[in-house]
Amino acid sequence: MISLVPYTTFAVQAMAQRILHITDPKQIPFGSKSDALILGGGSNILFLKDYPGIILKNEIKGRQIIHETAEEVIIKFGAGEIWHEVVLWTLAQSYGGLQNLSLIPGTIGAAPIQNIGAYGVEFKEVFYSLEAYSMDSGRYLLMTSEDCRFGYRDSIFKHALKNKVFISSVSLRLTKTKHRIDTAYGAIETALRTRGIVQPTIHDISSVVSSIRKSKLPDPEHLPNAGSFFKNPVVSLAIANEISKQYPELKVYPIADPNKVKLSAAWLIDQCNWKGQRRGTVGVYAKHALILVNYGQATGADVWDLAGAIIRSVQQKFGIELEAEVTLI
């Protein structure tokens, strides 16, 4: 058995039977059936117990421009590339699209699974296609955005194709000119004003987003965590209006559906007085109520017990059931 502590940012105590490091699609053990678990950077996963099967660690690297015009570029990346290193490389080439997604942990191969998002931008907005292999047959798949069925922190890889395909590469469509500069979400505009920046570039946005994330989120190397543990709940406009009658300061964000809105899970949790609370080896980060942390030697069960208590308290106070953003194994 092999310890999984070094392979996830939560660093919980769990073991696996075997780990295979995959650097080339030819190494994928097709026909592994249901006992193989695909793992990228391990930044959005919580092992609730020991894993009895085989871990397939995706370490496929590489980057290649596959199409380019004067306005845009399509780049194919090996799925094992580290996400923030991809962001930094694209910025070094002055390609736009990923700046608001700076400093998100994990690999690019995990990005479509989670449809990662931050500061008003979602991964699906820059996604072009991906290559994957069926774990059962080894059949090659080329998947478009429609095939991936992206939703809020969701995709087909969490449902019909959960652990059934091995993503080997991800291609992104990025801008070379007329970059989208999105400053409306979170504290970006305030941070830009503080720096005296009136017309921000993609590099300015990335720098500000990275700075904000560093100020609010703990480094997993020093305080193990998996980033935002819960999804921001999406509720009907009627429910949000009802809650805001009692809590006028309720944080509400519009979404594509005019009859629904997204609420701040961090705000809901904070109103239940969880921020900074600690229970033995686990706790809620003092600077951000969405972050559950491992203070050392915690098990996945310890973390999930705390998460359950938070879910119950938010349900009791607001009538809203929080859903884990972190993948539970």
Side-chain angles (χ1 to χ4, degrees):
M1 298 291 281
I2 300 173
S3 172
L4 293 173
V5 169
Y7 294 99
T8 70
T9 58
F10 237 134
V12 296
Q13 301 296 314
M15 306 289 285
Q17 183 183 83
R18 186 183 177 195
I19 296 180
L20 297 181
H21 298 265
I22 308 297
T23 59
D24 188 290
K26 296 176 182 178
Q27 298 173 314
I28 302 171
F30 301 120
S32 297
K33 300 179 182 178
S34 60
D35 67 340
L37 176 70
I38 301 163
L39 188 65
S43 59
N44 192 56
I45 195 167
L46 176 65
F47 284 95
L48 299 178
K49 57 184 178 181
D50 292 342
Y51 190 74
I54 298 172
I55 303 290
L56 303 182
K57 184 75 166 59
N58 193 335
E59 297 177 358
I60 299 174
K61 304 291 186 178
R63 55 184 72 130
Q64 175 188 5
I65 293 177
I66 58 176
H67 181 72
E68 185 173 10
T69 68
E71 293 79 28
E72 65 179 26
V73 60
I74 298 174
I75 310 169
K76 176 180 174 180
F77 296 92
E81 291 279 355
I82 303 303
W83 175 260
H84 188 57
E85 292 178 5
V86 167
V87 174
L88 294 178
W89 182 82
T90 61
L91 288 169
Q93 319 309 311
S94 293
Y95 299 148
L98 306 187
Q99 57 273 9
N100 289 58
L101 304 177
S102 297
L103 215 62
I104 294 177
T107 60
I108 190 171
I113 297 173
Q114 182 72 2
N115 185 24
I116 60 173
Y119 296 96
V121 175
E122 285 191 318
F123 171 80
K124 67 179 182 181
E125 297 168 41
V126 295
F127 176 78
Y128 180 72
S129 68
L130 64 80
E131 296 174 332
Y133 293 84
S134 164
M135 291 297 295
D136 292 330
S137 66
R139 186 168 62 91
Y140 168 86
L141 303 173
L142 178 62
M143 302 182 67
T144 64
S145 183
E146 184 177 355
D147 296 328
C148 293
R149 300 180 193 173
F150 292 124
Y152 172 56
R153 303 298 180 268
D154 198 22
S155 71
I156 193 172
F157 306 107
K158 286 190 170 185
H159 303 284
L161 294 184
K162 184 176 181 179
N163 218 44
K164 292 184 178 180
V165 297
F166 189 104
I167 297 172
S168 59
S169 71
V170 176
S171 296
L172 306 180
R173 187 199 299 270
L174 305 175
T175 54
K176 295 174 65 178
T177 62
K178 299 179 181 178
H179 305 306
R180 169 187 169 185
I181 303 297
D182 194 327
T183 65
Y185 200 95
I188 295 179
E189 289 186 346
T190 300
L192 289 170
R193 285 197 299 270
T194 300
R195 298 185 182 194
I197 299 172
V198 178
Q199 294 183 312
T201 65
I202 55 176
H203 302 87
D204 293 329
I205 298 297
S206 176
S207 176
V208 164
V209 167
S210 295
S211 179
I212 294 171
R213 290 184 69 91
K214 287 178 181 178
S215 70
K216 294 169 58 178
L217 308 176
D219 184 343
E221 292 289 330
H222 301 112
L223 190 57
N225 70 90
S228 297
F229 195 91
F230 300 103
K231 295 180 182 180
N232 287 323
V234 174
V235 302
S236 69
L237 192 58
I239 290 176
N241 289 337
E242 191 64 31
I243 295 174
S244 63
K245 290 179 182 178
Q246 185 173 356
Y247 301 93
E249 68 278 21
L250 176 69
K251 293 188 177 181
V252 178
Y253 303 100
I255 60 174
D257 187 339
N259 297 313
K260 294 182 178 181
V261 292
K262 185 166 59 177
L263 305 183
S264 167
W267 185 89
L268 296 171
I269 296 168
D270 198 14
Q271 298 309 300
C272 296
N273 298 314
W274 280 105
K275 187 187 291 185
Q277 294 294 322
R278 178 171 178 171
R279 288 189 172 186
T281 58
V282 297
V284 180
Y285 190 50
K287 294 183 179 180
H288 202 307
L290 266 188
I291 313 297
L292 306 191
V293 297
N294 173 8
Y295 286 108
Q297 303 300 311
T299 65
D302 295 330
V303 177
W304 188 237
D305 283 347
L306 173 61
I310 293 171
I311 291 171
R312 289 189 295 274
S313 64
V314 170
Q315 171 77 48
Q316 184 175 18
K317 190 176 184 70
F318 296 103
I320 294 174
E321 184 173 359
L322 295 180
E323 181 182 350
E325 182 174 322
V326 172
T327 300
L328 307 172
I329 303 295

